[in-house]
Amino acid sequence: MEDKTEEKKDLIRVEHLKKYFPVRGGFFQQVVGWVQAVDDVSFTIREGETLGMVGESGCGKTTIGRTMLRLVEPSSGSVYYKDTNVFGLNGHDLKAMRRNMQIIFQDPYSSLDPRMPIGESIMEGLKIHSIGTSKDQYEIAIKTLKKVGLEDYHARRYPHEFSGGQRQRIGIARALALVPSFLVCDEPVSALDVSIQSQVLNILKDLQNEMGLTFLFIAHNLSVVEHISDRVAVMYLGKMVELTGREELFRNPLHPYTQALMSAIPVPDPRLRRDRIILKGDVPSPLRPPTGCRFHPRCPVAMDHCAVEEPVFKEVSPGHQVACWRVA
């Protein structure tokens, strides 16, 4: 199938993004080390595209999403929205930029104020940005609720009166109220039942087509990523190890870590068996990452050179980038 996303311009451009968290210790709480949560990551997201991002817990996926929106301040690097460097904005300019870039949080309950009716939660962003009158704000909140499959009377209820799936819809409505063009979806369906996951995913896809949204979709579940993504980025211990189109990644994964992830996807037919790649050992600490390729201590095909020099993240075929010495 022809990839039509090639014709579109880049909406988001991430260049050499780094985020290190300090580790403090001793009597004076001095910095004794740095957790390298995100280490020199670069990628782009095209207009109207969904870039899926996968990897084990602690690999830096959520930190990337939060740092892009400046919910967490970066250590270095740049994030461009169109041609504007988000990290160079402050005050009023940053506030205005945040209308264009919103986030759907992973936990649909803790991200909502339990003392505030959900209509008020959705209207909060409109009030902060002084959009319309109180009547206009209420009408926008009701309209947005209906877009995600809820009704106007739901606006008067509190978060504890809703199921997990409904709360996640509320989180989506709150993110959409300001009519952004870019959404970070931080594992928006991981806390939901499988039947509810499909409903929320379909809502996101319908809204993307209707509103021309661009997504960074962070997830653990590769089946979910395959369903919703146009391209997929694979993260490991703060580094991006592979990036390519969805179909290409599932058909021809090149990095050994990606191959191990793919081998763990359940097969729905009990008569078929997939050859599992069992990785040895545990994920190393981002406080003291291995030298060379960060995956080499667990890699089944590692060479001596892998422990010495870090592989370059390069394009090995059109649109397919990978960081591995084994891949020519």
Side-chain angles (χ1 to χ4, degrees):
M1 186 173 68
E2 186 178 352
D3 187 2
K4 296 182 180 179
T5 57
E6 292 288 349
E7 305 166 4
K8 298 181 179 179
K9 297 179 180 178
D10 292 336
L11 180 71
I12 301 292
R13 194 167 78 252
V14 177
E15 296 180 350
H16 306 293
L17 181 64
K18 292 186 180 182
K19 178 56 187 177
Y20 293 178
F21 292 97
V23 177
R24 300 181 183 275
F27 184 76
F28 295 104
Q29 289 296 295
Q30 294 179 319
V31 176
V32 296
W34 295 90
V35 174
Q36 301 177 27
V38 179
D39 191 14
D40 196 16
V41 171
S42 301
F43 59 92
T44 61
I45 310 177
R46 308 180 188 111
E47 291 181 353
E49 180 187 38
T50 299
L51 176 66
M53 186 168 285
V54 299
E56 292 170 285
S57 294
C59 69
K61 307 184 299 296
T62 294
T63 303
I64 287 176
R66 289 173 177 259
T67 306
M68 288 171 66
L69 303 184
R70 300 247 329 247
L71 298 178
V72 175
E73 289 297 324
S75 298
S76 65
S78 303
V79 172
Y80 291 89
Y81 172 83
K82 297 183 178 178
D83 293 321
T84 303
N85 186 357
V86 178
F87 295 166
L89 301 177
N90 289 295
H92 177 76
D93 293 333
L94 179 60
K95 179 181 175 181
M97 175 60 71
R98 282 185 166 146
R99 285 190 60 179
N100 300 313
M101 306 171 71
Q102 291 287 305
I103 184 169
I104 302 170
F105 293 100
Q106 177 179 358
D107 187 344
Y109 190 72
S110 64
S111 61
L112 295 170
D113 188 338
R115 298 167 295 179
M116 186 181 290
I118 63 141
E120 290 290 329
S121 291
I122 295 171
M123 291 165 58
E124 193 172 19
L126 301 171
K127 292 176 180 177
I128 290 171
H129 290 275
S130 303
I131 298 174
T133 64
S134 295
K135 182 180 178 182
D136 294 333
Q137 293 167 3
Y138 182 76
E139 289 176 352
I140 291 171
I142 296 302
K143 182 180 178 182
T144 310
L145 276 176
K146 289 185 176 179
K147 280 185 177 179
V148 298
L150 297 175
E151 298 298 333
D152 51 1
Y153 61 84
H154 287 129
R156 298 184 294 274
R157 295 184 179 178
Y158 290 84
H160 72 271
E161 299 181 72
F162 295 92
S163 67
Q166 288 175 319
R167 285 197 291 263
Q168 196 58 281
R169 294 184 191 204
I170 295 164
I172 295 170
R174 187 174 58 173
L176 294 178
L178 293 169
V179 195
S181 54
F182 174 64
L183 271 181
V184 174
C185 305
D186 184 12
E187 302 194 40
V189 297
S190 63
L192 306 178
D193 293 336
V194 174
S195 59
I196 306 300
Q197 285 184 12
S198 61
Q199 294 177 19
V200 173
L201 290 174
N202 289 333
I203 287 172
L204 286 172
K205 293 189 75 170
D206 291 343
L207 290 171
Q208 183 176 36
N209 295 330
E210 178 185 338
M211 302 174 66
L213 298 170
T214 302
F215 292 152
L216 172 63
F217 193 93
I218 298 167
H220 283 105
N221 191 327
L222 283 166
S223 299
V224 169
V225 170
E226 184 180 18
H227 176 70
I228 200 169
S229 302
D230 297 303
R231 291 187 300 148
V232 182
V234 182
M235 294 286 299
Y236 183 80
L237 204 61
K239 291 280 190 180
M240 189 172 289
V241 297
E242 191 160 1
L243 173 63
T244 188
R246 173 195 62 201
E247 294 181 3
E248 172 68 10
L249 187 81
F250 282 82
R251 182 183 61 84
N252 183 33
L254 296 179
H255 197 278
Y257 177 63
T258 310
Q259 293 169 357
L261 288 180
M262 294 298 174
S263 75
I265 300 175
V267 180
D269 189 341
R271 295 169 296 180
L272 299 177
R273 294 182 64 86
R274 178 179 276 132
D275 294 331
R276 283 292 308 275
I277 300 174
I278 307 298
L279 299 178
K280 58 186 179 182
D282 297 321
V283 181
S285 170
L287 185 62
R288 297 179 184 84
T291 58
C293 173
R294 294 192 176 185
F295 185 60
H296 87 264
R298 305 176 71 197
C299 182
V301 294
M303 305 179 292
D304 293 339
H305 185 65
C306 298
V308 177
E309 187 176 356
E310 183 178 328
V312 179
F313 190 66
K314 61 183 180 181
E315 189 171 58
V316 295
S317 62
H320 198 155
Q321 296 171 280
V322 65
C324 181
W325 291 119
R326 284 282 188 182
V327 180

